[in-house]
Structures are given as C-alpha cells and as structure tokens.
C-alpha cells in the first residue's frame, strides 16, 4: 500500500523541536515525507510536490485558491507556528473539505506550567524577596500582607478558558481555588465545564485575587483588559499574562504596578524583543519572563505527538482530533490579530 505524501515545511521550527524521535519515526512509517529539514523549503520545491500531497505541515501555510486546485488529494493542512495564519484561502479549504489544523493545543502543558510558576512566584513574593536578599533588605519571618497571598481556597479568574487555561486550572486543583472565567464563546458553545463559574469580564477582573490572561488574540479583543478595567482592580491583585500582550493595555498595567496597585507577571510583551533600555525592565512589582513559556526541553513535543495522532485518525476515518480545527468564524477573528510565535 502506497504511503500518503506529506510536505514538511516546518522551518522556522526545528524537526527536533516538534517531534520526539519515536514520534517522527512513526510519522515516517505512516507517510512519505518531503522536506523535514531545518532550513526553509524553496517555493518551487513546495509547489512541485503539492499535486501529490495529502498533508501539508508548515510554519506558515500559504496557498492560494489556484494552488489548492493543484492539489486534488490534499486532506489536511497543519500550521506549527502557534495560531492560524494569513496567506491561506480558508474558504476554498472548507469548501473542499480540507481540514486546517493548528498546533496551539500542543503548547498547553509547557505554557500552563510556566503560568503556574508565575502565579506562585507572584502570590508568594518569591522574586521580590530574592532581590531584597541580594541587596541586604530582606524581611525575615515578616508577613507581607499588602501583596503576598496563599493560593489555598483563593479566588482566581481566567480571561479566556481554552486549552491552556483548562490545564492551568487542573494544575491548581490541589489548592482548591474558587475559579471564575470570562469566555462568552465557550459559555454559549455547549462545551463549558460544569465546575467553572462563568461571568462577565468586569466581574472576572475585579473580584478575584489573581487574574490569568490566557485568551487567544483576535481582531475583537485588542486591549480587552482595558485601562478602565485595570483601574477598577483591587489593590493587591496579581495579573498574570501568558497568551499575548495584545489582550491587555500593557502601559496601564505597568502604571498600576508602579503605583503599587497590582503585581504583574508576564511572559509576553507588546514588542519583542524588549529594547535594552525600555523602562519596563526596572518597573516595580513585576516579574518578567522573555517569552519562554514553551522554551523548555521537549516543551513542544506534544505538537508532534498530536500531528501523528491526527494524521493516523484521518487515515483511519476517525473524527477525533487533538490539534485545533479551524472554522470560518474563528479564523476570521484570529488571522487579523497580531501574531507572535511561541
């Protein structure tokens, strides 16, 4: 039996970054792979192989209506950047029954782990007291009731309750937190979990001690957590941002941290990399991580596992998918928003 043809144009990602050896070996057993090298594939080579391809895996899939027409066997396109991209004719894909899948769920474990670390560090003042210890101003056995708090039984809210937020909530479960979430799409989708209290955005960000921003960026949610909402947050609120800075008024967040209203922990920034002399580097009441939530050995390997699983499922005629399937509604929102790869 002839193996299905797969074009692997994953650069800027490295093969070893996406696939553990066993997973890539399984993919090679299942498919005839063209590409899979750690440098860009030429467009001519890509288009030359496209007519026989059943699968395309690419960091930024770019296919016009005419090019898709050249690929009568195409069954699925997988992006491995982290979000649905511009440059692909989604309407033609949907009309043809070609699945478009995103690797976004593959980040949930490593990003959720980083989110948990930022929450713990922010809640217990670990970074602040470390810096105080270095300069000899540490506070031995002293309660810091203004900003430090325990996670046990604590009120925690999520702005966006997708795969990353769900994994963070699972990791927080031993603390028995009281969780709220703002996610109107999920709330009305019929797939909302029963153990989460869904609420309006203002309630989510003004009634919980810790606010975790995990929503995917869209053209509709730029500065969703606005200056006005930030001003309404109670003193001592911890704001953790692990999705995209697009979601928050970052300048207002900085100002609130500087005046002592909030403690802020973020893995993402409005402009990356952050300039060496940017004032935010010296901001008080902040914990900064240079967009490295997924940058851990094996942190992106779940993406490769999901690719292998979903291609095997498609080949077998099964409907379950581990990657995120595109719909016209979600794509129209997502592809117009700023994109920063993880």
């Amino acid at each position: 039996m002839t193996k299905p043809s797969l074009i692997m144009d994953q650069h800027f990602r490295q093969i070893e970054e996406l696939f553990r050896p066993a997973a890539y070996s399984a993919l090679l057993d299942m498919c005839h792979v063209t590409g899979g090298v750690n440098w860009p594939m030429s467009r001519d080579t890509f288009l030359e192989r496209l007519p026989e391809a059943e699968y395309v895996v690419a960091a930024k899939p770019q296919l016009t209506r005419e090019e898709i027409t050249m690929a009568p066997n195409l069954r699925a396109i997988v992006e491995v950047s982290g979000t649905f991209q511009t440059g692909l004719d989604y309407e033609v894909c949907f009309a043809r029954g070609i699945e478009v899948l995103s690797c976004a769920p593959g980040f949930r474990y490593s990003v959720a782990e980083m989110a948990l670390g930022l929450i713990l560090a922010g809640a217990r003042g670990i970074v602040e007291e470390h810096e105080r210890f270095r300069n000899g101003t540490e506070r031995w056995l002293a309660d810091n009731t203004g900003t430090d708090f325990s996670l046990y039984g604590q009120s925690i809210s999520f702005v966006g309750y997708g795969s990353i937020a769900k994994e963070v909530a699972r990791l927080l479960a031993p603390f028995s937190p009281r969780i709220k979430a703002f996610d109107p799409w999920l709330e009305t989708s019929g797939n909302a979990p029963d153990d989460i209290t869904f609420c309006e955005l203002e309630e989510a960000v003004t009634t919980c001690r810790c606010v975790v921003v995990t929503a995917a960026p869209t053209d509709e949610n730029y500065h969703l957590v606005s200056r006005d909402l930030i001003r309404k947050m109670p003193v001592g609120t911890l704001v953790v941002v692990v999705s995209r800075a697009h979601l928050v008024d970052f300048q207002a967040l900085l100002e609130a941290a500087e005046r002592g209203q909030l403690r802020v922990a973020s893995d993402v920034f409005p402009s990356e990399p952050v300039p060496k002399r940017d004032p935010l580097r010296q901001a008080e009441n902040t914990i900064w991580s240079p967009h490295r939530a997924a940058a851990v050995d094996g942190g992106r390997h779940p993406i490769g596992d999901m690719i292998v699983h979903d291609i095997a499922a498609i080949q077998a005629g099964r409907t379950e998918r581990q990657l995120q399937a595109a719909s016209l509604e979600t794509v129209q929102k997502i592809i117009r928003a700023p994109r920063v790869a993880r």
Side-chain angles (χ1 to χ4, degrees), residues 16-292:
E16 299 79 8
E17 173 187 347
L18 294 174
F19 295 91
R20 65 187 86 241
Y24 198 60
S25 178
L27 185 67
L28 294 175
D29 287 343
M30 188 166 39
C31 298
H32 174 71
V33 176
T34 297
V37 293
N38 291 333
W39 53 84
M41 178 182 289
S42 75
R43 189 66 179 169
D44 288 344
T45 300
F46 183 93
L47 294 176
E48 179 184 335
R49 299 300 179 119
L50 186 60
E52 64 193 45
E54 292 188 42
Y55 302 99
V56 169
V57 177
K60 187 175 182 180
Q62 293 187 307
L63 287 168
T64 65
R65 176 183 297 266
E66 292 73 21
E67 290 165 345
I68 294 171
T69 303
M70 293 168 50
N73 303 315
L74 193 57
R75 303 181 72 179
I77 299 168
V78 181
E79 73 78 29
V80 293
S81 175
T83 189
F84 295 113
Q85 303 282 330
T86 56
L88 179 64
D89 194 321
Y90 290 91
E91 291 188 3
V92 173
C93 290
F94 297 146
R96 278 266 311 272
I98 299 168
E99 296 187 46
V100 184
L101 303 169
S102 170
C103 72
F107 294 109
R108 68 174 177 260
Y109 302 113
S110 54
V111 177
E113 183 180 58
M114 175 64 83
L116 178 62
L118 292 174
I119 292 168
L120 281 165
R124 297 303 304 271
I126 293 170
V127 173
E128 180 181 355
E129 287 304 318
H130 165 77
E131 292 301 325
R132 283 180 171 274
F133 198 97
R134 288 166 64 90
N135 62 33
T137 60
E138 73 273 13
R139 296 170 287 195
W140 290 97
L141 299 176
D143 289 346
N144 186 6
T145 56
T147 53
D148 291 3
F149 57 91
S150 172
L151 292 183
Y152 283 93
Q154 192 55 257
S155 57
I156 299 175
S157 67
F158 291 90
V159 178
Y161 203 72
S163 59
I164 291 173
K166 291 172 185 174
E167 183 63 14
V168 176
R170 188 185 72 81
L171 295 177
L172 287 168
F175 297 101
S176 300
R178 293 172 287 118
I179 293 179
K180 295 181 180 181
F182 169 76
D183 193 322
W185 183 84
L186 180 61
E187 187 179 6
T188 58
S189 69
N191 298 313
D194 295 332
D195 58 341
I196 301 298
T197 300
F198 285 87
C199 61
E200 295 302 314
L201 178 60
E202 182 167 339
E203 179 180 345
V205 302
T206 62
T207 64
C208 293
R209 190 65 192 268
C210 178
V211 177
V212 189
V213 180
T214 48
T218 73
D219 62 324
E220 298 173 350
N221 64 18
Y222 178 69
H223 284 192
L224 181 68
V225 182
S226 64
R227 177 176 291 273
D228 182 58
L229 286 174
I230 290 168
R231 190 180 299 113
K232 294 178 181 179
M233 291 180 182
V235 172
T237 301
L238 169 63
V239 180
V240 177
V241 187
V242 291
S243 54
R244 293 292 183 266
H246 170 96
L247 275 292
V248 302
D249 186 326
F250 218 82
Q251 184 59 40
L253 207 59
L254 271 176
E255 293 169 7
E258 288 275 41
R259 65 177 176 261
Q261 176 192 350
L262 308 178
R263 180 174 280 167
V264 176
S266 182
D267 184 57
V268 290
F269 302 89
S271 178
E272 298 181 7
V274 174
K276 296 292 186 184
R277 297 186 178 181
D278 193 306
L280 73 78
R281 291 178 177 271
Q282 308 304 322
E284 298 290 332
N285 298 311
T286 59
I287 301 172
W288 302 133
S289 169
H291 205 141
R292 55 187 299 273

